[in-house]
Amino acid sequence: MSTSQHWLAMPAPAERTLCQTPATWIGASTCRESPMHWLRAVVFCFAAACCHVAHAQATNPPVPSTTVAPASPTAITPEPIDAALIVTRADTDERLAISAIELAGQPDPIIALASPLEAITRSVDQRRQALSPAQLRRVPIMRLESLDRHWQFDSKRFARWRDSLQIATTPYAEDAAELAQRRASWQATRQQPSAIPPLLLSRIDALITRLTEAEQALAGPLARQMELSARANAMEARLQSGHAAVTDAIGYLDHQLLQVDSPPLWQIDTDSPDQRAVASDALSSGLQIELEFSRAYQGEHRHTQFLFHAIQILLLPLLLWARRYGRRAEINNSIEAATQRVLARPWSTWLLMSTVAMLALEPDAPLLTLQAGMLFALIPVLRLLPPGSKRLLGDWPLVASLLYLLAGLGFFFLSSNVAFRLYTLVLTLVAMLLTGFVQWKAYRAGHARTTGRTGQLLRAAAWVAQGLFALSLLANIIGNRTLAEMLTNAIIDSAYFGLLLYVGIAVLLSLLHLLLSRPSLARYRLTRDHAPPLLSLLARLGVFVAIVGWMIYTMDSFRILRPTYAILGKVLSHEFSFGEFSLSLGHVLAFVAAITIAFWAARVTRLLLQDILQHGTSVSRGIGNSIASLASYAVLMLGVVIALSAAGFKGSQLALLFGALGVGIGFGLQNVVNNFVSGLILMFERPIQPGDVVEVGPINGRVRDIGMRSTRIKTFEGADVVVPNGTLLSEPLVNWTLLDRNRRMEVNVGVAYGSDPKQVLELLSRCAEQTPGVATEPAVVALFVGFGASSLDFSVRAWTRDYDHWLSIRSALVTSIHTALQEADIEIPYPQQDVHVRSLPTTPPVPSIDPPPATA
């Protein structure tokens, strides 16, 4: 058997699997004889299932209906129908027969499905005939990668076609099985005429004839469907074998990277005319296949193409409008230099953004399309470099773009193996010289002193590239052509792709900065307060995504992505089982990623809703905060459920987990749940809102935010106090600004005895009414409150609507009262206390009892 014959004779794993399944159902072992047997087995299984339904219906009479509930195929022997149910069952089965006949008379769905299958078949056969497995091993790796994409595209297209076939043919198969089962039941009933009145026998005979007629009507469409399915099975076998051959060729070339596959450069011979003709024909057919792939891809991905073209159409007028806006803003110096550079080149920005959109929306597109898009972005990439990139990158963007263009021109040398090898050698030498020139200029310009750690990484990458170029040159000379081509193209492609991502992220951030600086968005607090950190976050996120994308692209270029992906797949999918529970490293990583995204999404949701509801709508104060908080909790809870599902938890395991959580709440998390429920009550009832001035026990301050478990209060001394939500509901809570921002001020004044009370009352009222910030309604009240120990006591009470400055207003009021009393010569007495001094009577002297002094 030849290689091509062996390739054609390769078994199809999918066909074996599909054929073995019905064999297991009916106990047969000859299912693989033809696809026709498989479809007949399916119809037989449906009939067996419906027999079981008939038995159940005979035992328990159902309500007359045209819908039959599915049942498991546990019995295949039809049972007669009870005489009492003959009339009801006859009407139901006759409606089924009429419905089946109408279904058979409708346009056959096979007609619409045959054309897509023919298109897939032509695509598969064209590639199989163009290159045999032996020839695939001599095809360049880039061509094999494109073929692999093509095979994957056809596999996905065929899978969608299979789904359409199943949807179209299921009604026919189900009706055929149901008709066969019911006809068998009526025939079994007809064989027992003694228990059936003669009048019903004619009804049974007519019904059997009608059911047989319906089965014959469905026989034609079912036969055509089985024939089409048989063709599809044969085509699927060829599709899988062809894809396996391409995958094997890629693995073979990867293995050849460390082996000499060509004669040394000094022993190379020119290609013969026949070899050049064969290579030219292969190149022409390969190009034709690529063009067919591109057309088929565009026809299959109409929605993606529509979205891509819509972005292109909408982006250009927006960029032209942004250019006009940028000219006006440039006069006022309100935009950065990087943004001005982007707005001044709208056509280059449009081409670059189109390329980035294509790479993002169509990562599995034909390589010919992706490479053409990246080539179109050469000039825009150089024109849209950020202004500060010259100091960091020097002349490297120009060198990378030039080398990528030269590498693309190597396509014209693929018709000759010798010419393509020599061209690769020359390209490697040019790349080494240009890279060395860039390094020398960077050294002369003091690149190490001005660029820091980023410059250090770039210089290290340049030295690594030089080493790999030297290795490629050596491999090309000694005869390892595969390794030489891979190294040279991988370095050039990865360098240019990194440059494309760098410029694309810079352009996107510039356009986003321009959008956030619009006056129409400046009225939102989110834009004013969070625009700089938001831009910084998006910049870090963009850099992270760009680095990950560049690493994947580079690994694929250096032929290490496939083995790395296979190893990671095995490591991440290895499961650790604990009883019924199983866990893998991939589940853990998926859980961590989902939880991180959930927290980030909840936070962004809260900020957006708070800003929109508080400043963009007319809802009352506090409702926006409650809605935003509840929405963020809902997003967080949904994220947790998704994270648990991503981690591999099933429904029963989640129920067990929540049950254990309930037990934990009952024993040790009562306070946590109490605070959480209290937080929900605070959000619904809204006794306090962010911005309110409250007093909770000894704490006096302004509410900052109401969280899931606690509320943060900023005291007037500057401290942040975290108060559990349960405390706010269980202890007395004073809210000074719940319904309004009014505050009553009271000033007590004492004057000397002898002052005129009426004059004092009038003076106090006048001072309060003339003080700025004192409200006129409620009116000012001055009262004579009593007689003090050393003064006549008065009190003035006034209101202000400016709670935030009530202390300053009270201070102004007190100052005004003091000045007015002084001007009216009304004394403010000091506290006085009378001290009475009383003298005591004198007493006679006490005689001395000391002994007389001694004499000499």
Side-chain angles (χ1 to χ4, degrees), residues 46-225:
F46 273 109
C50 296
C51 288
H52 181 69
V53 174
H55 175 69
Q57 289 178 341
T59 306
N60 301 312
V63 178
S65 174
T66 58
T67 303
V68 179
S72 58
T74 57
I76 59 176
T77 302
E79 295 185 3
I81 301 173
D82 188 81
L85 300 176
I86 288 178
V87 176
T88 303
R89 287 287 303 276
D91 293 339
T92 302
D93 292 355
E94 187 173 15
R95 288 194 296 269
L96 175 64
I98 295 173
S99 176
I101 293 173
E102 292 178 352
L103 178 64
Q106 294 178 359
D108 196 345
I110 299 302
I111 299 176
L113 293 173
S115 178
L117 180 63
E118 289 296 331
I120 301 174
T121 303
R122 285 195 304 270
S123 176
V124 170
D125 293 341
Q126 182 183 13
R127 293 194 304 278
R128 285 169 55 88
Q129 296 172 3
L131 296 169
S132 65
Q135 293 173 336
L136 286 172
R137 297 190 173 188
R138 296 191 296 269
V139 172
I141 189 63
M142 189 63 66
R143 177 83 178 98
L144 286 178
E145 289 287 351
S146 181
L147 285 174
D148 183 66
R149 284 172 175 254
H150 202 166
W151 285 111
Q152 292 179 5
F153 169 74
D154 280 343
S155 298
K156 295 177 182 178
R157 187 163 53 157
F158 180 75
R160 289 191 291 268
W161 183 89
R162 274 287 192 193
D163 295 337
S164 301
L165 177 66
Q166 182 179 2
I167 294 173
T169 58
T170 296
Y172 293 86
E174 290 179 350
D175 285 356
E178 187 70 19
L179 290 170
Q181 178 266 329
R182 298 197 181 193
R183 180 176 55 80
S185 297
W186 286 111
Q187 288 176 346
T189 305
R190 185 67 178 81
Q191 293 174 0
Q192 300 176 355
S194 58
I196 302 175
L199 184 62
L200 296 180
L201 291 177
S202 60
R203 172 64 170 158
I204 294 175
D205 293 337
L207 183 59
I208 292 175
T209 303
R210 195 59 178 269
L211 292 175
T212 304
E213 179 185 355
E215 286 184 276
Q216 293 175 353
L218 290 177
L222 280 175
R224 291 190 294 271
Q225 292 170 9

Side-chain angles (χ1 to χ4, degrees), residues 839-844:
S839 61
L840 297 175
T842 59
T843 58

